[in-house]
Amino acid sequence: MRQKIAAGNWKMNLTLDEGLQLARYISNELDIYSDTQVILAAPYVYLKSLSDLTFPIRNLHIAAQNCHAKESGAYTGEIAIPMLKSINIEYVVIGHSERRAYFNESNAILKEKVDALIEQDMNIIFCCGEPLEVRKAEGHFDYVTEQLEASLCHLSPKQFKQVIIAYEPIWAIGTGETASPDQAQEMHAHIRSLIGEKLGREVAESTSILYGGSVKPANAQELFSMNDVDGGLVGGASLSGSSFLSIINAFS
Ligand code: 13P
């Protein structure tokens, strides 16, 4: 059985008070007996307060939106994985297309982060996804294959248990344009078969693959009902408690 996951990526939004209010709303309204795991990826400076707030809730987790691969040292402005662990953070998002595009994060840099996170027993939400011109030229399967092969596929089956994949086509992020359920399913099936080829069927069947890109209350149920879509990584719609809650409740 694969985990069903609704993850909110707050990106660089909300003040501390707004973030805490949102997390309090989610923690109060969440069905704690549900099998759906909820993850909030928040700015670094809110992580400690959020992890203290949500700590007792078994299906609500806090994630960092990035990390540095080195354990410590002279890297001004960066955040190391042991720092995240010291405030009970168990999940880290890496490889978001915004980090790849605006902060020059290459597949090689991401591989280093993957290895560091695995070594330190952290759960990884690894983002992949193609830009519009690649989709138009029908190169999207090869593009995503390359991203996964370069940064992730070297892991062992045991290490891969720490990995969640998020497929986020860049043309659907923050644009209001969503991949159709069939487009999402097709890519998720491709990713799962790639994992199967590299790491074996058992790993492929147990890895959660999330869809990201303009997930909203109005389209979440249909997307999440696809065979290989195990949930969503949600940007804009995760900033409102009621809309994120209806996405959390969209698993049938
Ligand atoms: P939107 O849901 O705002 O399109 O953002 C998706 C995303 O980038 C999540 O990481």
Side-chain angles (χ1 to χ4, degrees):
M1 263 291 279
R2 293 195 287 275
Q3 279 197 323
K4 300 283 177 207
I5 298 170
N9 177 7
W10 294 358
K11 308 191 179 184
M12 196 174 73
N13 292 296
L14 306 175
T15 62
L16 176 61
D17 280 350
E18 289 166 345
L20 287 174
Q21 204 180 339
L22 178 54
R24 243 179 245 122
Y25 174 86
I26 299 295
S27 60
N28 289 336
E29 300 296 323
L30 188 65
D31 173 5
I32 55 161
Y33 302 107
S34 157
D35 288 336
T36 303
Q37 300 296 315
V38 177
I39 302 172
L40 306 176
Y44 285 134
V45 286
Y46 308 158
L47 294 179
K48 170 79 169 84
S49 309
L50 289 169
S51 90
D52 289 348
L53 179 83
T54 57
F55 179 65
I57 304 171
R58 56 171 274 284
N59 54 344
L60 182 55
H61 314 274
I62 304 300
Q65 297 174 9
N66 183 28
C67 67
H68 197 279
K70 292 278 192 299
E71 259 190 72
S72 64
Y75 301 95
T76 303
E78 290 296 316
I79 302 290
I81 300 162
M83 297 174 183
L84 298 172
K85 291 186 73 164
S86 75
I87 54 168
N88 302 314
I89 299 301
E90 296 168 345
Y91 290 80
V92 180
V93 176
I94 55 165
H96 194 281
S97 59
E98 288 147 19
R99 297 227 45 99
R100 293 176 189 259
Y102 307 142
F103 304 95
N104 301 319
E105 293 199 4
S106 62
N107 288 337
I109 291 175
L110 292 171
K111 181 171 188 246
E112 283 177 26
K113 293 189 183 193
V114 164
D115 288 339
L117 286 161
I118 292 290
E119 195 183 311
Q120 307 215 28
D121 281 326
M122 293 286 259
N123 298 302
I124 298 170
I125 302 176
F126 184 89
C127 303
C128 58
E130 79 286 355
L132 184 60
E133 58 278 15
V134 171
R135 164 71 59 166
K136 280 186 173 157
E138 296 184 359
H140 44 294
F141 294 121
D142 288 345
Y143 190 92
V144 168
T145 298
E146 161 74 17
Q147 286 180 322
L148 298 177
E149 282 185 347
S151 307
L152 212 52
C153 288
H154 62 287
L155 297 177
S156 71
K158 180 163 177 273
Q159 291 170 328
F160 217 87
K161 290 193 193 320
Q162 290 164 243
V163 175
I164 297 162
I165 292 176
Y167 168 60
E168 300 206 307
I170 298 172
W171 46 272
I173 295 178
T175 57
E177 188 177 345
T178 317
S180 69
D182 286 340
Q183 284 174 318
Q185 167 58 28
E186 189 184 42
M187 181 59 87
H188 284 223
H190 170 77
I191 293 170
R192 199 174 306 287
S193 97
L194 177 72
I195 300 170
E197 215 176 278
K198 303 281 173 185
L199 291 125
R201 198 185 143 84
E202 199 201 323
V203 179
E205 286 305 318
S206 59
T207 300
S208 294
I209 307 176
L210 315 183
Y211 168 77
S214 299
V215 176
K216 299 183 269 279
N219 59 24
Q221 193 163 13
E222 203 184 353
L223 285 161
F224 296 176
S225 71
M226 304 310 282
N227 264 348
D228 288 292
V229 179
D230 305 306
L233 179 56
V234 186
S238 75
L239 299 174
S240 141
S242 59
S243 77
F244 190 49
L245 191 71
S246 63
I247 292 170
I248 293 169
N249 293 331
F251 292 95
S252 38

XYZ file of all heavy atoms in Angstrom, residues 15-50:
288
model
N 3.250 35.423 6.928
C 4.035 35.829 8.100
C 3.979 34.684 9.109
O 3.213 33.722 8.923
C 3.411 37.075 8.754
O 2.093 36.722 9.200
C 3.342 38.247 7.787
N 4.742 34.780 10.166
C 4.711 33.730 11.193
C 3.303 33.554 11.749
O 2.807 32.433 11.864
C 5.694 34.061 12.327
C 5.671 33.068 13.500
C 6.045 31.651 13.064
C 6.605 33.536 14.620
N 2.638 34.649 12.092
C 1.289 34.551 12.655
C 0.322 33.885 11.675
O -0.477 33.032 12.057
C 0.733 35.940 13.024
C 1.294 36.400 14.359
O 1.928 35.568 15.048
O 1.100 37.583 14.695
N 0.423 34.293 10.420
C -0.466 33.697 9.408
C -0.188 32.199 9.239
O -1.111 31.388 9.123
C -0.275 34.402 8.056
C -0.821 35.820 8.024
C -0.333 36.637 6.828
O 0.648 36.221 6.147
O -0.914 37.709 6.579
N 1.088 31.849 9.251
C 1.469 30.445 9.097
C 0.975 29.597 10.263
O 0.455 28.494 10.079
N 1.148 30.138 11.477
C 0.705 29.386 12.660
C -0.816 29.231 12.667
O -1.337 28.176 13.026
C 1.166 30.088 13.944
C 2.658 29.964 14.237
C 3.036 30.814 15.450
C 3.053 28.505 14.483
N -1.489 30.292 12.256
C -2.952 30.237 12.208
C -3.424 29.163 11.206
O -4.332 28.381 11.488
C -3.466 31.606 11.771
C -4.874 31.892 12.215
C -5.312 33.281 11.727
O -4.486 34.152 11.412
N -6.603 33.479 11.646
N -2.757 29.129 10.073
C -3.092 28.137 9.047
C -2.815 26.715 9.553
O -3.652 25.816 9.413
C -2.263 28.443 7.781
C -2.385 27.538 6.569
C -3.832 27.383 6.120
C -1.546 28.116 5.424
N -1.659 26.530 10.192
C -1.310 25.199 10.697
C -2.264 24.779 11.822
O -2.641 23.601 11.921
C 0.128 25.184 11.195
N -2.675 25.735 12.641
C -3.631 25.435 13.719
C -4.972 25.006 13.142
O -5.587 24.043 13.601
C -3.830 26.690 14.597
C -3.360 26.467 16.019
C -3.542 27.720 16.877
N -2.248 28.212 17.285
C -1.763 29.415 17.034
N -2.469 30.307 16.352
N -0.580 29.755 17.464
N -5.395 25.698 12.113
C -6.656 25.355 11.448
C -6.583 23.919 10.904
O -7.468 23.099 11.147
C -6.948 26.352 10.322
C -8.157 26.005 9.494
C -9.431 26.407 9.896
C -8.028 25.261 8.324
C -10.561 26.077 9.127
C -9.141 24.929 7.556
C -10.394 25.333 7.956
O -11.495 24.998 7.212
N -5.502 23.629 10.200
C -5.356 22.288 9.618
C -5.312 21.238 10.728
O -5.973 20.202 10.659
C -4.070 22.182 8.749
C -4.118 23.177 7.568
C -3.839 20.758 8.246
C -5.195 22.916 6.535
N -4.554 21.516 11.794
C -4.438 20.503 12.842
C -5.765 20.294 13.572
O -6.076 19.186 13.991
C -3.300 20.824 13.817
O -3.528 22.061 14.424
N -6.570 21.331 13.680
C -7.882 21.175 14.332
C -8.878 20.425 13.458
O -9.694 19.661 13.948
C -8.493 22.544 14.675
C -7.747 23.204 15.820
O -7.114 22.528 16.627
N -7.803 24.526 15.883
N -8.803 20.671 12.152
C -9.819 20.120 11.248
C -9.448 18.741 10.681
O -10.300 18.030 10.161
C -10.050 21.075 10.060
C -10.530 22.464 10.436
C -11.907 22.445 11.088
O -12.747 21.632 10.666
O -12.118 23.227 12.038
N -8.173 18.408 10.784
C -7.687 17.167 10.172
C -8.277 15.939 10.855
O -8.364 15.893 12.082
C -6.154 17.157 10.330
C -5.358 16.082 9.634
C -5.481 16.229 8.122
C -3.896 16.182 10.057
N -8.655 14.951 10.053
C -9.103 13.674 10.615
C -7.857 12.887 11.019
O -7.127 12.377 10.167
C -9.902 12.913 9.540
C -10.242 11.505 9.989
O -9.948 11.158 11.150
O -10.802 10.753 9.166
N -7.624 12.803 12.313
C -6.367 12.182 12.763
C -6.387 10.660 12.593
O -5.364 10.007 12.749
C -6.022 12.538 14.226
C -7.178 12.165 15.157
C -5.642 14.008 14.360
C -6.737 12.070 16.607
N -7.540 10.091 12.272
C -7.614 8.643 12.039
C -7.458 8.308 10.557
O -7.420 7.144 10.173
C -8.932 8.073 12.575
C -9.083 8.349 14.048
C -9.985 9.295 14.518
C -8.273 7.677 14.979
C -10.094 9.569 15.876
C -8.370 7.957 16.337
C -9.287 8.894 16.780
O -9.370 9.167 18.104
N -7.363 9.357 9.736
C -7.251 9.125 8.302
C -5.868 8.570 7.950
O -4.876 8.828 8.637
C -7.475 10.460 7.583
O -6.880 10.432 6.324
N -5.811 7.833 6.840
C -4.525 7.303 6.366
C -3.757 8.339 5.557
O -2.620 8.115 5.174
C -4.762 6.087 5.463
C -5.206 4.901 6.276
O -4.889 4.868 7.482
O -5.886 4.026 5.707
N -4.394 9.454 5.245
C -3.713 10.480 4.454
C -2.679 11.206 5.311
O -2.991 11.674 6.401
C -4.734 11.504 3.913
O -5.721 10.812 3.156
C -4.058 12.548 3.038
N -1.467 11.273 4.796
C -0.421 12.020 5.489
C -0.404 13.443 4.945
O -0.442 13.633 3.724
C 0.950 11.372 5.263
C 1.063 9.937 5.759
C 0.906 9.829 7.258
O 1.474 10.604 8.034
N 0.098 8.859 7.694
N -0.362 14.403 5.841
C -0.353 15.806 5.435
C 1.012 16.407 5.786
O 1.542 16.172 6.875
C -1.489 16.581 6.145
C -1.437 18.063 5.785
C -2.837 15.981 5.752
N 1.573 17.129 4.838
C 2.900 17.731 5.044
C 2.805 19.214 4.707
O 2.237 19.583 3.672
C 3.957 17.052 4.127
C 4.018 15.538 4.397
C 5.335 17.689 4.339
C 4.897 14.763 3.411
N 3.364 20.050 5.577
C 3.412 21.489 5.303
C 4.876 21.873 5.108
O 5.693 21.734 6.028
C 2.824 22.287 6.481
C 1.404 21.904 6.945
C 1.014 22.720 8.188
C 0.391 22.129 5.828
N 5.212 22.343 3.915
C 6.582 22.789 3.647
C 6.627 24.311 3.813
O 6.039 25.048 3.023
C 7.004 22.380 2.235
N 7.298 24.735 4.855
C 7.234 26.137 5.272
C 8.619 26.782 5.230
O 9.637 26.094 5.163
C 6.681 26.191 6.698
N 8.660 28.108 5.267
C 9.956 28.797 5.329
C 10.749 28.373 6.579
O 10.162 28.110 7.637
C 9.554 30.270 5.406
C 8.210 30.330 4.738
C 7.531 29.052 5.112
N 12.063 28.334 6.437
C 12.945 27.879 7.526
C 12.609 28.501 8.882
O 12.582 27.824 9.897
C 14.396 28.264 7.227
C 15.105 27.445 6.178
C 15.844 28.089 5.186
C 15.109 26.060 6.214
C 16.555 27.363 4.236
C 15.811 25.323 5.268
C 16.534 25.980 4.279
O 17.245 25.259 3.357
N 12.390 29.821 8.873
C 12.284 30.516 10.169
C 11.007 30.167 10.943
O 10.890 30.513 12.115
C 12.387 32.055 10.016
C 13.814 32.450 9.728
C 11.445 32.582 8.944
N 10.073 29.471 10.300
C 8.852 29.066 11.003
C 8.872 27.595 11.424
O 7.958 27.119 12.087
C 7.606 29.279 10.120
C 7.459 30.655 9.520
C 6.675 30.843 8.388
C 8.085 31.765 10.072
C 6.526 32.102 7.809
C 7.957 33.022 9.498
C 7.177 33.185 8.368
O 7.035 34.426 7.804
N 9.893 26.869 11.000
C 9.851 25.406 11.148
C 9.762 24.957 12.601
O 9.007 24.046 12.936
C 11.072 24.772 10.475
C 11.133 24.906 8.944
C 12.408 24.260 8.408
C 9.918 24.266 8.281
N 10.526 25.616 13.478
C 10.537 25.189 14.887
C 9.154 25.390 15.514
O 8.613 24.480 16.169
C 11.617 25.975 15.639
C 11.595 25.829 17.153
C 12.230 24.525 17.603
C 12.459 24.488 19.118
N 11.273 24.073 19.871
N 8.568 26.561 15.315
C 7.241 26.823 15.883
C 6.219 25.844 15.317
O 5.369 25.330 16.043
C 6.771 28.242 15.542
O 7.764 29.168 15.873
N 6.312 25.580 14.032
C 5.345 24.669 13.405
C 5.550 23.240 13.872
O 4.580 22.518 14.114
C 5.478 24.739 11.872
C 4.976 26.031 11.240
C 5.407 26.116 9.780
C 3.457 26.145 11.344
